Amino acid sequence: MLLSLCALLAVGAAAAQEAPPQSTLPDMGKLPAVPPATRAQVQPQYVVVLDAAHGGGDVGARFTDKLLEKDLTLGFSVRLRQALASHGIQVITTRDTDTAVSMVARGEAANHAMAAACITLHATATGSGVHLFTSSLAPTPYTKFLPWQTGQSAYATQSLRLSSEISTALGHTAVPVTLGRTSLQPMDSFACPAVAVEIAPLAGGNTTSATPLTDVGYQNRILDALTAALTQWKNDWRQQP
Amino acid sequence: MITRFQRFLFGAMLLAAVVMAVVLIRMRERAHDRLIMAADSQPMNTLSTALSTAQVETITLLVANDMDGSLISVERKFPMPKDPNARARVLMQKLLEEYAAPKSTHPIANASGVDEVFLMPVPQQKGGQGEMAVVNLNAVFVQAQPSGIEPETLTLLSMIATLHANLPQITEVRFLVDGQQKDTLAGHADLTRVYLASDTQTAVRQ
Ligand SMILES: [Zn+2]
């Protein structure tokens, strides 16, 4: 009886190890474990992951018949990548074309990169300025293997610091910032300091009209601020525990 | 050769089996009756009758503001039913009326988005009296919900905070759409998880 139980457990463990990485929707039982951040042994590389949200059939928010969130986030991701690359920052993107990328595939891309910062890009017609969201998962200490869907919980403190640096940089370019916590995939599974950057139109005063999302000057201010913040983060992130 | 003892044992076991069958059938009938009674007392069916006998009370709504991502506490007076399930539904109704009103700080053009709210004891809670509210949204409301991390998160947080402010025993909230679990509200905010009343603390403006 005891023997057969042991045999069953061994088979179960072997099956769990052999489970291939999933590329479909998250399945708690079969997901690969997130590798621990063993930065101490290897020379740390400064890698930034840019995750242009939505894509393919997932259009995100519909601003007009022709203007979709998925296109806006992709365009922004491409431009931010160029800006960061020109500052010598290595960038990994989760998508470079208008394709549907699963949440698990995005998580895998981010977690294999062992990135110093993971930025998920969104856009919305609601509110004003830039909304910076960090995960609402309760902070947990590092463990050797983090559960896939809540891997972000071990990076809660670092994510808040990264969010704070982006907020400061946006403040310098006079873009209003709203800070919040949310439960968002794939961000909750990112095993890296992660912030969701959601771009909203810039609300005008009583006499001026709102600056639309598509305004190039407005977009450039946000791009400059993000580039400045991520350049600054390069000096700060290594001091993290 | 069957001994007298074996015959007695067989008879006793047969009797025990019959008694157990009768008890099980009775229990099943009672459980069925309880289920029917519970369904009858759901807010959908009793809301109008409950409201006709309700007393006017002051309720607190935590209203979302898209411009700064905060929840603002506002007080309203409204006849409130006694039954907690019905109270929870009226609270959601009143909150969505704020959002559907002109010049709303968090516009959603659908005031009747919550079909039911069910309260149930929080499973496996140690020594606590906490309840979980299951908020059943309808698909028409979800269609009207603006897409985005901020607008979706604020809708959920304001619902959770409003429920907890008026019914403090509600410590956890789950959201369904037309009775089914959905991945996100409108492409962003996660609807697969259980939300805690404490999740709303960072958003409430003091
Ligand atoms: Zn989005």
Side-chain angles (χ1 to χ4, degrees), chain A residues 54 60-61 69 122 124 126-128 131 133 136 178 181-184 196 198, chain B residues 66-69 146-151 153 183 187-190 193 195 202:
Chain A
H54 313 289
E69 186 188 355
H122 285 266
T124 183
T126 303
S128 176
H131 310 144
F133 280 91
S136 58
T178 303
R181 300 283 196 92
T182 192
S183 185
L184 182 75
E198 184 175 66
Chain B
D66 292 336
M67 280 301 153
D68 63 1
S147 179
I149 306 172
E150 192 204 44
T153 303
D183 286 344
H188 298 88
D190 192 348
R193 62 165 283 197
Y195 283 85
T202 49

Side-chain angles (χ1 to χ4, degrees), chain A residues 26-28 31 34 137 146-152 185 188-189:
Chain A
D27 181 345
M28 291 285 266
L31 289 171
V34 179
L137 290 169
L146 301 168
W148 180 268
Q149 289 200 315
T150 57
Q152 178 57 208
Q185 286 298 342
D188 280 354
S189 61

Side-chain angles (χ1 to χ4, degrees), chain A residues 12-171:
Chain A
Q17 277 175 357
E18 279 163 21
Q22 298 295 298
S23 58
T24 51
L25 281 173
D27 181 345
M28 291 285 266
K30 293 174 183 167
L31 289 171
V34 179
T38 50
R39 293 202 181 96
Q41 288 94 36
V42 288
Q43 188 63 30
Q45 271 199 317
Y46 188 71
V47 179
V48 172
V49 169
L50 296 182
D51 173 41
H54 313 289
D58 171 15
V59 300
R62 283 173 196 276
F63 303 117
T64 62
D65 282 345
K66 286 196 178 142
L67 185 61
L68 304 171
E69 186 188 355
K70 64 168 185 176
D71 300 325
L72 225 140
T73 57
L74 181 59
F76 204 83
S77 168
V78 169
R79 292 180 63 201
L80 183 55
R81 177 188 203 161
Q82 287 163 354
L84 292 174
S86 72
H87 283 73
I89 294 173
Q90 192 186 335
V91 176
I92 288 172
T93 52
T94 55
R95 72 179 176 102
D96 296 312
T97 52
D98 180 20
T99 45
V101 182
S102 76
M103 295 303 168
V104 172
R106 289 170 197 262
E108 279 175 355
N111 295 345
H112 287 161
M114 294 213 175
C118 296
I119 307 293
T120 288
L121 295 163
H122 285 266
T124 183
T126 303
S128 176
V130 173
H131 310 144
L132 297 178
F133 280 91
T134 49
S135 171
S136 58
L137 290 169
T140 55
Y142 292 97
T143 50
K144 193 153 168 60
F145 291 101
L146 301 168
W148 180 268
Q149 289 200 315
T150 57
Q152 178 57 208
S153 62
Y155 292 82
T157 313
Q158 295 189 53
S159 298
L160 280 173
R161 290 189 58 173
L162 175 59
S163 170
S164 160
E165 292 205 359
I166 296 172
S167 174
T168 306
L170 285 163

Side-chain angles (χ1 to χ4, degrees), chain B residues 122-148:
Chain B
V122 171
Q124 286 140 20
Q125 200 183 52
K126 293 171 205 119
Q129 304 283 301
E131 287 191 318
M132 178 194 276
V134 180
V135 178
N136 188 22
L137 307 167
N138 59 49
V140 185
F141 172 77
V142 170
Q143 278 286 316
Q145 163 71 46
S147 179

